[in-house]
């Protein structure tokens, strides 16, 4: 005679429960690591991974138990695994949507996207030219000839031109940017034709500025982009992106939990 006590707990439900336990444990360990000053970000990735696995296995366990309900149990474990996993999965979805939206906004309404593209193109150019950067006087022309993926639009801010024709989420764009000239990015003229390996990593390589085609120079060009939000973006030789603040005449750096400002280095 069949007896309810003879049922075997679904291995899928058990696996789902263990995934949820690891998920919660990872979050707790991450929180503790931040408190003691270590901030082990990898634990967030571990938590997310096991949250997704816990949710998937929990749903699968319910399906398996429903089919084999005469000899399998584990509804409670499966449902608990799902309940524990859902909040983390929802956070993952929310973050993914936010990141995607931020990326789209950066590409269409910020100079940071083209700044990154031009930096990468300069790096590739140097690799193909015995480690040397292009001449400052013709750097835009040199990159266009070298990199077929580039266009003149990559040397301009996405909001350059007629703002009345640009919209975001169906609404007209309003901006205090006053973008002028043919080029909205400048090359540090001190690095003209120099080998990358001979330059300190924290030296300015390329930065936001307004002017003529093949725009190049130094700190004197920063004021060409002075606007109300009081900062512009800069890429160093090592690829680090910083935000230059006009009120401080420097960029913020962080040592632990403290912020201080550091002057730009041009040579």
């Amino acid at each position: 005679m069949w007896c309810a006590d003879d049922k075997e707990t679904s291995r899928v439900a058990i696996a789902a429960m263990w995934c949820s336990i690891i998920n919660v444990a990872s979050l707790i360990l991450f929180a503790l690591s931040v408190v003691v000053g270590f901030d082990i970000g990898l634990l967030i990735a571990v938590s997310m991974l096991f949250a997704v696995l816990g949710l998937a296995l929990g749903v699968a366990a319910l399906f398996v138990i429903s089919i084999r309900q005469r000899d399998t149990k584990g509804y409670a474990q499966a449902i608990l695994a799902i309940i524990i996993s859902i909040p983390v999965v929802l956070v993952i979805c929310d973050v993914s949507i936010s990141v995607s939206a931020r990326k789209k906004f950066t590409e269409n309404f910020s100079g940071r996207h083209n700044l990154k593209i031009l930096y990468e193109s300069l790096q590739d150019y140097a690799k193909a030219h015995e480690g040397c950067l292009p001449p400052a006087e013709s750097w835009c022309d040199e990159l266009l000839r070298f990199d077929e993926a580039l266009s003149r639009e990559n040397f301009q801010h996405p909001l350059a031109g007629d703002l009345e024709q640009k919209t975001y989420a169906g609404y007209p764009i309003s901006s205090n940017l006053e973008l002028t000239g043919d080029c909205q990015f400048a090359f540090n003229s001190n690095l003209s034709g120099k080998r990358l390996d001979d330059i300190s990593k924290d030296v300015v390589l390329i930065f936001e500025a307004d002017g003529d085609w093949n725009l190049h120079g130094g700190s004197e060009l920063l004021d060409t982009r002075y606007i109300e939000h009081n900062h512009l973006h800069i890429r160093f030789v090592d690829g680090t992106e910083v935000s230059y603040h006009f009120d401080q005449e420097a960029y913020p750096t962080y040592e632990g939990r403290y912020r201080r400002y550091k002057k730009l280095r041009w040579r």
Side-chain angles (χ1 to χ4, degrees), residues 107 110-122 125 134-161 179-187 205-216 225:
E107 291 179 358
S110 167
R112 295 176 63 191
H113 179 64
N114 281 338
L115 185 69
K116 179 175 182 289
I117 289 176
L118 293 176
Y119 169 80
E120 292 174 347
S121 185
L122 283 168
Y125 178 94
E137 296 78 7
S138 59
W139 74 277
C140 294
D141 294 320
E142 293 285 342
L143 288 188
L144 276 179
R145 282 193 291 267
F146 168 74
D147 191 344
E148 296 180 354
L150 286 182
S151 67
R152 291 184 71 93
E153 285 73 21
N154 292 125
F155 296 85
Q156 297 177 329
H157 193 285
L159 293 181
L179 302 168
T180 59
D182 298 320
C183 195
Q184 273 81 55
F185 302 95
F187 178 76
L205 175 60
I206 188 171
F207 56 102
E208 290 187 299
D210 296 326
D212 296 329
W213 187 247
N214 289 316
L215 182 62
H216 62 280
R225 181 60 69 79

Side-chain angles (χ1 to χ4, degrees), residues 10 18 24-25 53 91 129-130 159 171 194 198 223 254 262:
S10 168
W18 271 110
V24 173
L53 286 175
V91 169
H129 292 80
E130 299 181 347
L159 293 181
Y171 295 94
K194 290 193 173 182
D198 298 334
D223 287 337
Y254 296 87
K262 190 174 181 179

Side-chain angles (χ1 to χ4, degrees), residues 154-200:
N154 292 125
F155 296 85
Q156 297 177 329
H157 193 285
L159 293 181
D162 187 1
L163 286 181
E164 294 182 1
Q165 303 298 320
K166 301 179 184 293
T167 61
Y168 179 68
Y171 295 94
I173 293 294
S174 61
S175 174
N176 56 8
L177 279 173
E178 296 181 1
L179 302 168
T180 59
D182 298 320
C183 195
Q184 273 81 55
F185 302 95
F187 178 76
N188 181 0
S189 57
N190 295 314
L191 308 186
S192 179
K194 290 193 173 182
R195 289 178 56 85
L196 274 175
D197 291 342
D198 298 334
I199 308 170
S200 295

